[in-house]
Amino acid sequence: MSPAVKTSLAPGSRVVTEYLRQTGLLPYLKELGFHLAGYGCTTCIGNSGPIDPCLEEAIREHDLVAANVLSGNRNFEARVHQSIRANFLMSPPLVVAFALAGRVDIDLSKEPIGRDKNGVEVCLRDLWPSLDEISNLMQAAFDPDTYRRLNSDFAGQNSMWNEIAAKVGAGYDWDPSSTYIREPPYFEKFSMQPDKVVDIKGARPLAIFGDSVTTDHISPAGAIKPDSPAGKYLQDWEVSVEDFNSYGARRGNHQVMVRGTFANVRIKNLMVPGVEGGITFHQPRGEQMSIYDAAMKYQEASIPLVVIAGQEYGTGSSRDWAAKGTRLLGVRAVVAESFERIHRSNLIGMGVLPCRFKEGVSARSLNLDGTETFDLQGIEGGVRPRQDVTLTIHRVNGQVEQVPLTLRVETPIEADYYNHGGILPFVLRRLVGQTSQSAGG
């Protein structure tokens, strides 16, 4: 195996490991370097560990496009590793074949993947099993007894998990010193009466994005960079870099997750051309800083925020933190050319208003550069499904332009969620109301 190839094996469960053992494949996978790394979400979510430091330095210094070949289900850039841009999803046998070849720019139907110990070229067709071989091995490995044996006493087989001290009681005992689980802020100012819905005035753009911004760009799940806002936060709490874990593992700590929002190393904010990562300009001075730091400065000044985007905003995983982090940064509305369905719904659930440009209108056609301020008018008193609203653009030269938008609130219940400030306060008000009625009756 080429030293430039990093390999790992992460089955979905222990049952799969047993299948590989029963078919006789596990020893050969180990011999090729595919050692068992763990189970479930590992490589796919950025927990595959580091690559060789010399290799990573070469990638960074020469701006190389290195590639992952994986049998997972996500191919977003920088997800498997922050220095790796290209990702190819393949079947497990092809992952092994490309690892043997050591490169992705190869036609495996014609070119050899390597040479044997005698120097003879070996092609994929020489190694590929027949359907009969595969069928016979599957019949030998897939048996219900293995599944029952490995899963019948799950609690008893996890001694380390059982050793974790846990408290009992009617409510969760929040630990203010925990860097993994913190009490979330969603109900800090809760009241039974929702705040009145008013027009958004004087909003600043936190970022202007292009097309196909995924939820992985908005809220990465993988490794935390030491010099990122989340990394600095953890170090302030005396967490060593080797113990950072990932955003996905620390999703119970909103302080980490809000700092990671729009912090993907590959996200491109068009307000800051030629720069990747969660960077923006804080206006009106135009000071360059992290998106998180800028958002906190705007919050201190009580300035609402908007995000402008292109087509297919929020594609990818239905990641709740992509909407939660957006709201906690102080973003009140996202104006895009089009939305992915689930993320659009999640934004409404967090009290963020999704608005769509009319056909043919975009940030580019409007010549937006991030120095503008915005008013979103027409929502005063509450929103209705699919209503038209107006985005008023105030430019630094004094010009004012009004742009019609369509609210992407699709149903009456979504309108109720937004008018209540989000789904969480909406549900809590209903629960408290029902409890009060029961007690009164």
Side-chain angles (χ1 to χ4, degrees):
M1 194 79 69
S2 166
V5 176
K6 177 183 174 65
T7 54
S8 66
L9 173 64
S13 71
R14 295 175 301 157
V15 175
V16 178
T17 302
E18 191 61 24
Y19 291 159
L20 294 172
R21 183 177 290 111
Q22 291 182 20
T23 56
L25 290 172
L26 199 57
Y28 295 104
L29 288 170
K30 290 181 177 179
E31 190 174 340
L32 293 174
F34 287 93
H35 298 280
L36 181 64
Y39 295 100
C41 294
T42 52
T43 305
C44 173
I45 206 167
N47 288 337
S48 57
I51 59 177
D52 185 278
C54 295
L55 182 60
E56 187 166 10
E57 183 180 354
I59 293 172
R60 183 172 55 254
E61 182 178 348
H62 300 285
D63 196 26
L64 302 177
V65 179
N68 295 302
V69 178
L70 66 153
S71 60
N73 58 356
R74 293 289 184 269
N75 62 346
F76 307 139
E77 59 180 354
R79 173 152 175 161
V80 176
H81 191 283
Q82 293 188 355
S83 295
I84 310 299
R85 301 185 193 179
N87 301 274
F88 298 94
L89 305 183
M90 301 182 185
S91 65
L94 281 178
V95 171
V96 175
F98 275 91
L100 288 170
R103 45 187 263 257
V104 293
D105 57 340
I106 180 174
D107 185 349
L108 292 181
S109 66
K110 299 176 182 178
E111 301 178 59
I113 61 175
R115 296 178 182 271
D116 64 16
K117 61 183 178 180
N118 297 319
V120 178
E121 290 184 344
V122 178
C123 293
L124 184 61
R125 59 179 174 271
D126 300 322
L127 304 176
W128 202 262
S130 67
L131 292 178
D132 287 339
E133 288 179 280
I134 296 174
S135 178
N136 291 336
L137 287 173
M138 289 178 65
Q139 290 180 12
F142 291 179
D143 64 281
D145 290 338
T146 297
Y147 186 86
R148 295 191 189 100
R149 174 169 54 84
L150 293 175
N151 293 294
S152 59
D153 185 23
F154 182 81
Q157 295 178 22
N158 289 271
S159 57
M160 294 181 66
W161 179 266
N162 295 334
E163 290 172 2
I164 299 176
K167 297 180 180 180
V168 296
Y172 186 80
D173 186 13
W174 301 101
D175 180 1
S177 65
S178 174
T179 57
Y180 274 97
I181 302 177
R182 302 293 297 270
E183 183 176 6
Y186 309 122
F187 301 113
E188 286 181 348
K189 299 179 180 179
F190 177 79
S191 68
M192 285 300 294
Q193 292 299 320
D195 293 335
K196 181 182 178 181
V197 177
V198 297
D199 289 342
I200 301 170
K201 296 182 179 180
R204 286 284 185 181
L206 185 60
I208 300 175
F209 298 120
D211 298 336
S212 301
V213 171
T214 71
T215 52
D216 218 63
H217 285 117
I218 302 169
S219 181
I224 302 171
K225 292 188 68 175
D227 61 349
S228 68
K232 293 175 181 177
Y233 165 84
L234 290 173
Q235 290 173 84
D236 287 343
W237 280 83
E238 299 183 351
V239 178
S240 60
V241 174
E242 56 267 27
D243 292 329
F244 273 8
N245 213 319
S246 65
Y247 286 109
R250 294 190 181 271
R251 60 186 292 114
N253 185 344
H254 64 280
Q255 296 287 6
V256 171
M257 298 305 291
V258 70
R259 286 167 170 79
T261 305
F262 300 117
N264 186 296
V265 296
R266 296 299 175 202
I267 197 169
K268 298 178 179 65
N269 182 1
L270 302 181
M271 288 169 54
V272 192
V275 176
E276 290 184 327
I279 303 298
T280 193
F281 283 125
H282 181 266
Q283 302 296 350
R285 294 187 177 182
E287 184 181 358
Q288 184 171 313
M289 62 184 67
S290 73
I291 283 179
Y292 171 78
D293 289 338
M296 294 304 101
K297 283 181 173 290
Y298 286 126
Q299 283 195 25
E300 291 173 4
S302 299
I303 296 174
L305 299 173
V306 296
V307 167
I308 312 294
Q311 298 180 19
E312 300 177 340
Y313 182 78
T315 59
S317 306
S318 55
R319 186 164 301 159
D320 57 337
W321 263 110
K324 289 178 180 176
T326 298
R327 184 65 183 91
L328 292 179
L329 285 175
V331 175
R332 300 283 302 281
V334 177
V335 184
E337 294 177 60
S338 64
F339 291 88
E340 191 278 335
R341 176 179 57 85
I342 298 177
H343 183 62
R344 178 202 61 80
S345 178
N346 286 346
L347 286 173
I348 297 171
M350 289 308 301
V352 179
L353 202 59
C355 305
R356 181 175 59 82
F357 286 117
K358 298 293 185 180
E359 191 70 30
V361 180
S362 66
R364 178 174 294 181
S365 70
L366 294 171
N367 295 314
L368 302 180
D369 61 12
T371 60
E372 306 84 2
T373 59
F374 301 93
D375 300 333
L376 186 61
Q377 299 166 302
I379 63 173
E380 192 91 23
V383 302
R384 305 183 309 277
R386 304 290 291 185
Q387 73 177 95
D388 281 350
V389 295
T390 301
L391 181 70
T392 301
I393 305 171
H394 301 271
R395 303 185 188 272
V396 291
N397 61 5
Q399 291 183 345
V400 177
E401 184 176 354
Q402 292 188 327
V403 179
L405 305 175
T406 300
L407 290 190
R408 286 300 312 276
V409 175
E410 302 295 330
T411 63
I413 189 61
E414 286 187 342
D416 286 342
Y417 292 159
Y418 180 80
N419 292 332
H420 275 260
I423 191 171
L424 295 178
F426 173 83
V427 171
L428 184 56
R429 288 185 182 108
R430 294 195 64 177
L431 289 174
V432 173
Q434 292 170 0
T435 303
S436 299
Q437 290 177 1
S438 298

